[in-house]
Amino acid sequence: EPEVTQTPSHQVTQMGQEVILRCVPISNHLYFYWYRQILGQKVEFLVSFYNNEISEKSEIFDDQFSVERPDGSNFTLKIRSTKLEDSAMYFCASTIGLTDTQYFGPGTRLTVL
Amino acid sequence: ELKVEQNPLFLSMQEGKNYTIYCNYSTTSDRLYWYRQDPGKSLESLFVLLSNGAVKQEGRLMASLDTKARLSTLHITAAVHDLSATYFCAVDKGRTGNQFYFGTGTSLTVIP
């Protein structure tokens, strides 16, 4: 069964460094998402992406964040200068249609020291 | 800012019992989603509710949406241990795409 994959599973970085989190959505899906979840807290929406551009983003998704679909298969989230409060689990998801079932990747745990 | 509240936050129930989780939201929306998350795991989509009066059922779970009351419910029938997880609702307020606002989550423990 097709699945969403994410790499790495765990990323440790120093404050101020840039990180890139990678996702491979399901191949025929058209809509892509990033979420984050600080340990023990609720899930927070970051951004939705369609047709090679951002369709919606949350207040969290400021200038430090960017997304890209560089090659038609990967979907990446870049954090330019990480802060301690960026430490969280980051989930990627994809769906074939705007209101269809989303499929989530296993997540990347980002630890900022 | 749109607020999404779930209650209860924690729910401990015995196997075989019924219970309802409530999801209230503060502004109008016609699209509401329910998700399940097992401890230490990713999210799993359960239901997408797209209009007032929508009702969907899968196994022992049934979700409904009342957009006038800004309320969605997730009803659990004859709970079993495998349903133990955290359940999140999320309201979609996107105009050109999806923009989700999540509830705080309800941690459900089903006791044998």
Side-chain angles (χ1 to χ4, degrees):
Chain A
E1 185 176 316
E3 58 182 18
V4 177
T5 58
Q6 289 185 243
T7 54
S9 56
H10 191 188
Q11 173 96 45
V12 181
T13 189
Q14 295 289 326
M15 191 168 57
Q17 294 296 303
E18 175 183 287
V19 295
I20 297 176
L21 310 183
R22 291 185 166 79
C23 168
V24 179
I26 293 172
S27 62
N28 62 337
H29 284 188
L30 302 174
Y31 296 81
F32 313 109
Y33 310 87
W34 282 102
Y35 302 85
R36 77 174 187 190
Q37 185 177 32
I38 295 168
L39 186 63
Q41 297 190 22
K42 69 178 181 182
V43 179
E44 297 174 299
F45 166 77
L46 294 178
V47 67
S48 55
F49 190 88
Y50 169 73
N51 201 25
N52 273 325
E53 59 183 26
I54 290 172
S55 46
E56 301 280 357
K57 60 183 180 178
S58 72
E59 291 175 357
I60 301 167
F61 196 89
D62 60 20
D63 292 344
Q64 292 299 310
F65 291 86
S66 63
V67 289
E68 199 177 34
R69 188 156 160 81
D71 56 14
S73 62
N74 289 283
F75 179 51
T76 61
L77 175 69
K78 183 194 290 186
I79 310 174
R80 286 191 184 79
S81 178
T82 50
K83 307 184 187 82
L84 295 176
E85 53 265 36
D86 292 328
S87 293
M89 197 75 166
Y90 288 79
F91 296 107
C92 169
S94 69
T95 181
I96 196 163
L98 194 63
T99 55
D100 285 301
T101 299
Q102 291 174 54
Y103 293 83
F104 287 81
T108 292
R109 179 168 299 286
L110 176 65
T111 302
V112 183
L113 302 175
Chain B
E1 183 188 314
L2 190 153
K3 290 193 188 325
V4 184
E5 293 181 348
Q6 284 182 241
N7 68 84
L9 298 183
F10 298 93
L11 175 56
S12 181
M13 55 190 298
Q14 286 192 312
E15 277 193 334
K17 298 292 187 185
N18 304 334
Y19 209 84
T20 300
I21 298 170
Y22 297 89
C23 174
N24 290 90
Y25 51 98
S26 60
T27 68
T28 56
S29 174
D30 289 335
R31 302 195 295 269
L32 191 130
Y33 297 68
W34 284 96
Y35 303 88
R36 170 185 170 140
Q37 186 177 38
D38 291 316
K41 302 288 188 186
S42 187
L43 290 144
E44 176 190 351
S45 294
L46 293 175
F47 300 109
V48 180
L49 302 168
L50 297 175
S51 60
N52 186 42
V55 177
K56 291 205 174 169
Q57 182 162 6
E58 179 76 33
R60 299 173 189 275
L61 300 178
M62 183 172 73
S64 66
L65 178 62
D66 182 343
T67 58
K68 292 188 172 67
R70 299 177 192 166
L71 171 69
S72 180
T73 60
L74 181 67
H75 186 72
I76 303 151
T77 302
V80 293
H81 181 66
D82 286 352
L83 290 179
S84 297
T86 297
Y87 293 85
F88 292 97
C89 64
V91 173
D92 180 4
K93 280 293 287 183
R95 287 170 293 177
T96 59
N98 301 109
Q99 185 175 33
F100 295 101
Y101 294 81
F102 278 78
T104 46
T106 296
S107 177
L108 170 66
T109 303
V110 180
I111 304 163

